[in-house]
């Protein structure tokens, strides 16, 4: 857990719980080569053999997606039995799956280990297929310590950081569900999960070490093999960790800006009271490796009558001057109980035309999966309202297709 996350400023952050109790048998999912070698040493594998054994495991885990030690045909029978005595290959478990008419799939995942306040730990993961790519939206925390005013995840009470294994496990379960491992028949257009965005539940830069370690595993080109250029980390603006993310993780950066004045951003993204816009922009300018081919994406949620005027668009363009940037306008996704509304389509177009004419690519993110409880954090909350019986029924549905 990062020390920043523990120094909770009143009203800005919740304090994450430290209650994670890992399962008795550790899962190998999410481990690096060095960690695999260390565990192998712990069960008596001779030093001279560790590297080779770890490499074998790495291949079975991250290229083949093995779910059972028995599948590891080039590992001796004795070794397989020894591995199964000490470890598992568990990933998060699908509790509910919803498939939108547009092909978007949303999974509610139950994490191994003991839960919070008598409930299992659950997070969401969403797969969004497009013609030229398939993007997986991955969570970094159960809930979020921050309280952005328009975000449903921010309203959830309990927070804990995911482990690196639980983050990598989301990509693995997606490949499991989609049949997207190395043995897939790729004649019809290659891999299904080609891109990862850390835009699910949680603030990734408040779970820095686990996110970094997980993304190193995910981007290794001899394993899961999703290159850093195809991974985007979205932050609400944890300034001290932004440049560090560029140096130590090296993925693409997205910044949830949403407002152009401190006065408004203090309300929408309360973390702004700690790290105001000027400091955030300075960190963005310092982000390593920026160029016209490697731009920062600035996310801007379109809230009717709040931040969507032409004057806001002008101020946005002024603010981003000199930073290689893209602007991603996100139609607000309403959730039960929110006071905000999505901007009218005309207004979004006017805003988008202005930033486009100022030289920014400004795609409006097409709302996906609107028919399946789309807003961030919503599947989890809706499912929590269901009775135990309904949850079991959903789970059975998820298991049978
Ligand atoms: N905590 C990180 C990443 C997760 S949120 C962050 O805030 O950047 C991913 C993106 O979804 C952020 O830009 C966030 O502001 C946006 N978002 C959250 N709730 C939303 C909603 N109801 N409608 C549209 N966008 C939302
Ligand atoms: Fe957390 Fe991001 Fe939601 Fe803000 S927008 S509450 S940082 S998940």
């Amino acid at each position: 857990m990062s020390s920043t996350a523990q120094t909770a400023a009143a009203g800005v952050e919740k304090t994450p719980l430290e209650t994670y109790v890992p399962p008795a048998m550790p899962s190998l999912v999410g481990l690096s080569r060095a960690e695999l070698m260390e565990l192998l040493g712990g069960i008596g594998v001779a030093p001279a053999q560790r590297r080779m054994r770890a490499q074998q495991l790495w291949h079975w885990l991250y290229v083949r997606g093995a779910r059972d030690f028995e599948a590891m045909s080039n590992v001796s029978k004795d070794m397989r039995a020894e591995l199964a005595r000490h470890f598992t290959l568990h990933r998060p478990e699908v509790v509910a799956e919803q498939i939108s008419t547009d092909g978007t799939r949303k999974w509610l995942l139950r994490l191994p280990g003991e839960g919070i306040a008598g409930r299992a730990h659950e997070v969401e993961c969403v797969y969004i297929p497009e013609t030229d790519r398939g993007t997986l939206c991955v969570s970094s925390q159960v809930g979020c310590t921050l309280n952005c005013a328009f975000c449903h995840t921010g309203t959830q009470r309990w927070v804990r950081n995911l482990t690196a294994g639980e983050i990598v496990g989301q990509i693995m379960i997606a490949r499991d569900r989609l049949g997207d491992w190395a043995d897939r028949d790729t004649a019809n257009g290659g891999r299904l999960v080609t891109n990862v965005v850390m835009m699910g539940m949680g603030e990734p830069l408040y779970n820095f070490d686990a996110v970094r370690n997980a993304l190193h595993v995910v981007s290794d080109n001899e394993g899961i093999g999703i290159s850093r250029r195809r991974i985007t980390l979205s932050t609400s603006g944890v300034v001290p960790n932004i440049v560090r993310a560029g140096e130590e993780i090296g993925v693409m950066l997205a910044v949830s800006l949403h407002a152009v004045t401190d006065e408004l951003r203090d309300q929408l993204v309360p973390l702004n009271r700690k790290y105001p816009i000027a400091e955030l922009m300075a960190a963005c300018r310092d982000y390593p490796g920026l160029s016209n081919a490697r731009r920062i994406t600035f996310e801007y949620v379109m809230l009717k009558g709040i931040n969507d005027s032409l004057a806001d668009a002008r101020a946005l363009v002024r603010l981003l001057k000199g930073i290689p940037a893209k602007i991603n306008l996100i139609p607000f996704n309403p959730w039960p109980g929110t006071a905000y509304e999505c901007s009218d389509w005309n207004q979004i177009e006017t805003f988008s035309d202005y930033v486009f004419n100022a030289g920014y690519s400004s795609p409006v993110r097409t709302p996906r999966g609107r028919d399946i409880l789309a807003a961030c954090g919503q599947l989890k909350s809706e499912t929590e309202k269901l009775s135990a019986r309904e949850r079991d029924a959903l789970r059975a549905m998820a298991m049978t297709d």
Side-chain angles (χ1 to χ4, degrees), residues 150-151 199-200 202-203 234-236 256 258 299 301 330 332-333:
F150 54 86
C151 174
M199 292 186 188
E203 169 48 59
S234 174
T235 179
S236 57
S256 296
H258 306 318
E299 297 163 279
V301 64
I330 315 174
F332 172 61
N333 208 340

Side-chain angles (χ1 to χ4, degrees), residues 144 146-148 151 153-154 202-203 236:
C144 183
L146 300 171
N147 310 297
C148 300
C151 174
T153 303
E203 169 48 59
S236 57

Side-chain angles (χ1 to χ4, degrees), residues 69-135:
F69 290 108
E70 279 311 299
M72 301 183 173
S73 51
N74 61 351
V75 176
S76 74
K77 207 162 182 268
D78 289 351
M79 186 67 197
R80 294 200 304 251
E82 192 59 13
L83 287 168
R85 248 196 302 282
H86 294 93
F87 310 115
T88 71
L89 297 171
H90 289 165
R91 35 280 234 155
E93 183 193 340
V94 176
V95 184
E97 173 178 65
Q98 294 186 309
I99 305 179
S100 162
T101 47
D102 68 13
T104 301
R105 284 171 184 241
K106 191 157 189 163
W107 294 292
L108 179 67
L109 303 177
R110 175 170 303 159
L111 307 171
E114 236 169 65
I116 293 173
R119 276 196 181 282
H121 295 182
E122 289 169 346
V123 290
E124 293 176 3
C125 182
V126 181
Y127 173 67
I128 306 157
E130 288 170 277
T131 40
D132 62 338
R133 69 186 67 188
T135 303

Side-chain angles (χ1 to χ4, degrees), residues 137-141 143-144 146 148-154 197-205 233-237 254-258 265 268-269 298-303 328 330-335 338 365 370 374-378:
C137 179
V138 168
S139 294
S140 56
Q141 298 181 311
C144 183
L146 300 171
C148 300
F150 54 86
C151 174
H152 199 245
T153 303
V197 291
M198 297 300 301
M199 292 186 188
M201 300 170 71
E203 169 48 59
L205 293 189
L233 183 153
S234 174
T235 179
S236 57
V255 172
S256 296
L257 189 59
H258 306 318
R265 198 163 188 273
L268 296 180
V269 185
F298 287 88
E299 297 163 279
Y300 197 94
V301 64
M302 299 299 292
L303 301 169
N328 196 344
I330 315 174
F332 172 61
N333 208 340
W335 37 273
T338 179
R365 195 185 289 167
R370 283 249 156 143
C376 175
Q378 211 162 308

Side-chain angles (χ1 to χ4, degrees), residues 281 285 315-325 360:
M281 289 301 134
R285 282 176 215 280
L316 177 61
V317 167
R318 271 199 306 275
L319 192 62
L320 300 185
K321 204 158 187 270
I323 304 177
Y360 290 97

Side-chain angles (χ1 to χ4, degrees), residues 290-343:
L290 279 191
S291 69
N292 281 342
R294 232 177 98 87
R295 294 165 190 258
I296 296 180
T297 300
F298 287 88
E299 297 163 279
Y300 197 94
V301 64
M302 299 299 292
L303 301 169
K304 186 173 183 169
I306 304 283
N307 64 354
D308 61 351
S309 71
L310 200 51
D312 287 308
R314 283 196 202 99
L316 177 61
V317 167
R318 271 199 306 275
L319 192 62
L320 300 185
K321 204 158 187 270
I323 304 177
K326 287 188 264 193
I327 297 169
N328 196 344
L329 301 178
I330 315 174
F332 172 61
N333 208 340
W335 37 273
T338 179
Y340 295 104
E341 285 175 76
C342 182
S343 306

